[in-house]
Amino acid sequence: MVLLFDFDSTMFFLFKDYDRKPLVLKLNNTLKKYGLEEVSDRNFFNCFLFARDNKECLKEINEIIVEAELDAVDKGYHVDGFKEIFPILLNKYSIGIVSNNSKECIDKYMEKYHNGLSLPFFGRIPLRADLLKPNPYLLEQALKYFNVKKEECLYIGDNFIDYLAAKEIGIPFLGMAYLERKQNTFKENNIPYVKNYYELMEILK
């Protein structure tokens, strides 16, 4: 079996406790410069959606986000149980990361926390905002890389858009819902989920 993981808030809390105000200010100044809609503190990744038809704006926005991602890697922390369970999963399964985060972000994370371990990564293409999740493109690339059937994969993510991407192409999905708010979202939509990595291990047995 192949386990595919989302990154931010599934493996690692990248922006959960990050001071987003300076980041959002930079993003909104850039969006305003191009006459585009501004983003909120909570949904700042919408900047890619708002700028999707403007390559120059997308380039500037991506540079701002990458800088913040790299800073956040130093300030973030792992989702409960991930660091303990991850070595066990590596010994039993093929593992890849499918995320809207950048390659630069994942490379720095792997270097800092996993001694530079290299894992297959399928992530944000800077000037192709249309290919970000919930578009299933990144998951499709993962399937091609591992050369497996959809039912031989499990995509694990914390967000409803992760579920939508998996559903679009028929990959089994499992929510990682450490917050009650996320648990309720998955419950309301009849989406299977676990609360932490220890529960995930029980399901995978």
Side-chain angles (χ1 to χ4, degrees), residues 16-90:
K16 183 172 181 287
D17 296 328
Y18 189 77
D19 181 8
R20 304 180 189 186
K21 290 181 181 178
L23 167 61
V24 171
L25 180 61
K26 283 184 182 179
L27 291 172
N28 283 335
N29 284 340
T30 302
L31 290 165
K32 281 191 289 185
K33 183 172 71 173
Y34 290 95
L36 298 172
E37 184 178 345
E38 295 182 31
V39 294
S40 67
D41 181 75
R42 183 173 175 183
N43 296 311
F44 66 91
F45 250 70
N46 282 344
C47 61
F48 290 105
L49 175 66
F50 298 160
R52 65 187 178 277
D53 297 323
N54 189 316
K55 298 297 185 185
E56 287 301 314
C57 186
L58 276 176
K59 183 175 182 293
E60 290 186 40
I61 278 173
N62 188 65
E63 290 172 355
I64 293 169
I65 293 284
V66 168
E67 182 182 17
E69 287 173 328
L70 295 178
D71 184 44
V73 167
D74 289 327
K75 299 173 180 176
Y77 53 98
H78 285 96
V79 172
D80 183 38
F82 179 80
K83 200 166 185 181
E84 295 77 17
I85 298 300
F86 185 56
I88 300 171
L89 297 177
L90 277 175

